[in-house]
Amino acid sequence: MSGKIEAPRGTLDALPGQSAARERVLAVTAEVAGLYGYRPIVTPTFEATELFLRTAGLGSDVVSKEMYTFTDRADRSLTLRPEGTAGAARAYVEHGLHKTPQPVKAWYAGPMFRYAAPQKGRYREFWQVGFEAIGSPDHALDVELIRLFVEITNRLGLGAIRLELNSIGDRNCRPAYVEQLRAFLTERRSELDDDARAKADTSPLRVFDTKSAHVAELLQAAPTIGGSLCADCAAHFAETRALLDALGVSYSVNPTLVRGLDYYTRTVWEFVNDDLDAAQSTVCAGGRYDGLLEEIGGQPTPAVGWAAGVERLALSLGALEGQQEIDVFVIVEEPARRREALVGLAALRARGVTAETDYAGRSLKGQLTQAQRLGARTTLFVRADGVAIRRRGEGDIVVQTIEEAVDQL
Ligand code: ATP
Ligand code: MG
């Protein structure tokens, strides 16, 4: 009984040396997070199921079809997190972060879990990077978060990503609009698909979040939220747009853009890469969620954030050259001096020099090939009678001990 075991369906292995695009996405995100004053938050990968039931809403795709829910040994219902905002908001409330200077600006990177039909760019375990600014209604934060993602895509060299923007109002103006929409949908009920009919009953705004071309076409004639915004929401949206214009961030207003989750208010946006397959072309989605913290027992607390799919951004980057060049390769010609050579290797690394050696019992020739493969700029030859330092394109310098060689580098 020793058959091979494969990774679960819909999961990915990011193998060493083959994940340069993904590493670059994560590194650039961390760099830009620092520039914009967002600090890391780490929350558990599983939470009480109740958290997602309250924040994602019973009618959502995530809750109805995609959650990985299990009971632990003490009969608690837990769920592998499908997204990161709920956990960050829970932590903000649980640790009383409203008592600290507002807004709290946090970012995360980590795995999310959804039982979706696997395709290229859609997985059951995938990574998101996400940013949250909790504790302020200021439109400047909506814009800051959008500009922050633009900065990430600029640094990644992803030119062709476009921004779609909308406002979905708040609890003052949305209910009246939802009634108009409900009436529209009731009239056309027979033309809707099952998915849209179910959403029309539970949460009509979500019908816009459809993957059916037919339903999308039908919805062209539907009333849109834009005409129904109250004065405050309209002003917030106008200021958001004016500041985006001032920053030179281009966008198009998409009046049918909504978010799949109930707690979103006002600004919603998506960044789309049209070079990816249409059903998986959204690389980043964000919005204001002024209603979320109350849902989980916090004070009324305005907040805004976004999440981006790391694999979709990596796919957008395409294959990157993954080979990192090293500074030094240590060739051990005299086996009796290997321990000394390994001590020298550690000393080099301690000084910030990237250094490698052979761990596979290679011959001298094999070790030279390995040094070349790793792109070593300098090779050290540890011999019985001394240590030779060979810099690329230069003659050998011979010293006695490995310490002397390390000091020379
Ligand atoms: P979609 O419409 O593609 O299902 P979504 O609305 O469910 O996306 P969000 O919950 O807004 O997605 O998640 C934010 C981002 O995370 C998406 O824009 C996408 O880049 C990424 N993402 C979401 N689900 C997956 C998945 N199953 N596999 C890979 N990436 C995903
Ligand atoms: Mg989805």
Side-chain angles (χ1 to χ4, degrees):
M1 293 305 284
S2 58
K4 281 190 189 151
I5 297 173
E6 292 181 353
R9 185 168 149 73
T11 64
L12 285 178
D13 294 315
L15 299 174
Q18 296 176 22
S19 315
R22 161 184 203 93
E23 284 160 38
R24 183 137 176 73
V25 168
L26 294 170
V28 166
T29 303
E31 198 174 281
V32 176
L35 284 175
Y36 276 76
Y38 287 74
R39 294 195 292 177
I41 182 169
V42 178
T43 62
T45 44
F46 57 86
E47 296 272 359
T49 300
E50 176 72 15
L51 177 67
F52 302 114
L53 295 182
R54 286 209 223 158
T55 56
L58 283 168
S60 69
D61 282 358
V62 166
V63 168
S64 57
K65 298 182 276 203
E66 298 182 351
M67 290 206 312
Y68 276 96
T69 298
F70 61 98
T71 30
D72 74 1
R73 286 163 195 270
D75 244 12
R76 300 176 187 93
S77 180
L78 299 173
T79 294
L80 299 183
R81 63 180 182 196
E83 51 96 22
T85 302
R90 193 238 347 111
Y92 176 98
V93 173
E94 185 170 338
H95 302 287
L97 297 188
H98 64 282
K99 290 179 234 139
T100 64
Q102 304 295 292
V104 172
K105 305 209 301 187
W107 77 283
Y108 57 82
M112 305 295 159
F113 306 85
R114 297 184 192 179
Y115 194 85
Q119 297 156 58
K120 189 174 184 191
R122 189 176 297 285
Y123 311 100
R124 290 183 174 172
E125 177 173 357
F126 59 98
W127 276 51
Q128 280 182 345
V129 292
F131 286 71
E132 318 287 354
I134 305 179
S136 164
D138 191 349
H139 72 280
L141 285 170
D142 307 44
V143 173
E144 173 174 287
L145 284 162
I146 290 171
R147 180 62 185 82
L148 193 166
F149 186 75
V150 170
E151 187 62 36
I152 291 174
T153 59
N154 286 350
R155 286 173 185 234
L156 289 172
L158 296 174
I161 292 184
R162 61 188 171 79
L163 169 61
E164 292 193 359
L165 189 71
N166 196 20
S167 172
I168 56 172
D170 65 4
R171 69 183 98 187
N172 295 321
C173 49
R174 198 157 56 199
Y177 164 72
V178 168
E179 280 324 304
Q180 286 177 39
L181 178 62
R182 202 189 293 275
F184 172 89
L185 294 169
T186 305
E187 268 172 46
R188 286 154 188 84
R189 192 169 175 83
S190 61
E191 298 166 65
L192 301 177
D193 63 2
D194 288 346
D195 177 60
R197 263 195 292 271
K199 286 174 177 163
D201 295 337
T202 54
S203 175
L205 204 60
R206 288 205 188 105
V207 296
F208 289 109
D209 192 5
T210 180
K211 302 259 187 285
S212 151
H214 172 71
V215 172
E217 197 184 314
L218 197 101
L219 289 171
Q220 299 270 310
T224 54
I225 179 85
S228 305
L229 294 181
C230 59
D232 287 348
C233 287
H236 193 273
F237 195 37
E239 285 181 307
T240 299
R241 294 176 57 177
L243 185 52
L244 285 171
D245 293 339
L247 288 169
V249 175
S250 42
Y251 58 86
S252 59
V253 174
N254 175 355
T256 67
L257 180 66
V258 296
R259 300 289 303 127
L261 303 173
D262 273 344
Y263 49 75
Y264 282 103
T265 53
R266 297 189 166 173
T267 327
V268 292
W269 69 86
E270 285 188 359
F271 284 91
V272 179
N273 180 1
D274 292 313
D275 292 340
L276 298 178
D277 294 343
Q280 280 85 240
S281 59
T282 305
V283 292
C284 173
R288 215 163 235 293
Y289 49 94
D290 292 346
L292 174 77
L293 279 93
E294 273 169 274
E295 289 295 318
I296 58 172
Q299 310 284 326
T301 309
V304 56
W306 58 255
V310 171
E311 290 79 10
R312 288 190 197 174
L313 285 171
L315 279 172
S316 307
L317 269 179
L320 281 192
E321 194 47 66
Q323 184 64 60
Q324 83 179 110
E325 293 217 323
I326 66 165
D327 297 319
V328 177
F329 192 93
V330 180
I331 288 182
V332 183
E333 276 189 62
E334 169 51 57
R337 295 188 75 182
R338 183 159 194 250
R339 184 168 301 141
E340 201 188 317
L342 293 173
V343 171
L345 186 69
L348 285 170
R349 289 167 173 167
R351 294 180 184 200
V353 175
T354 55
E356 263 300 349
T357 193
D358 170 54
Y359 304 96
R362 290 183 177 86
S363 65
L364 172 59
K365 190 158 166 262
Q367 293 187 61
L368 271 167
T369 308
Q370 182 66 2
Q372 275 162 15
R373 217 179 263 140
L374 295 177
R377 282 179 281 271
T378 302
T379 313
L380 291 189
F381 297 80
V382 182
R383 299 175 177 144
D385 58 349
V387 178
I389 305 168
R390 184 175 299 168
R391 292 197 173 83
R392 204 189 276 162
E394 291 176 29
D396 288 5
I397 299 168
V398 180
V399 295
Q400 265 333 100
T401 64
I402 188 100
E403 290 89 63
E404 286 171 69
V406 168
D407 285 340
Q408 295 250 340
L409 292 170

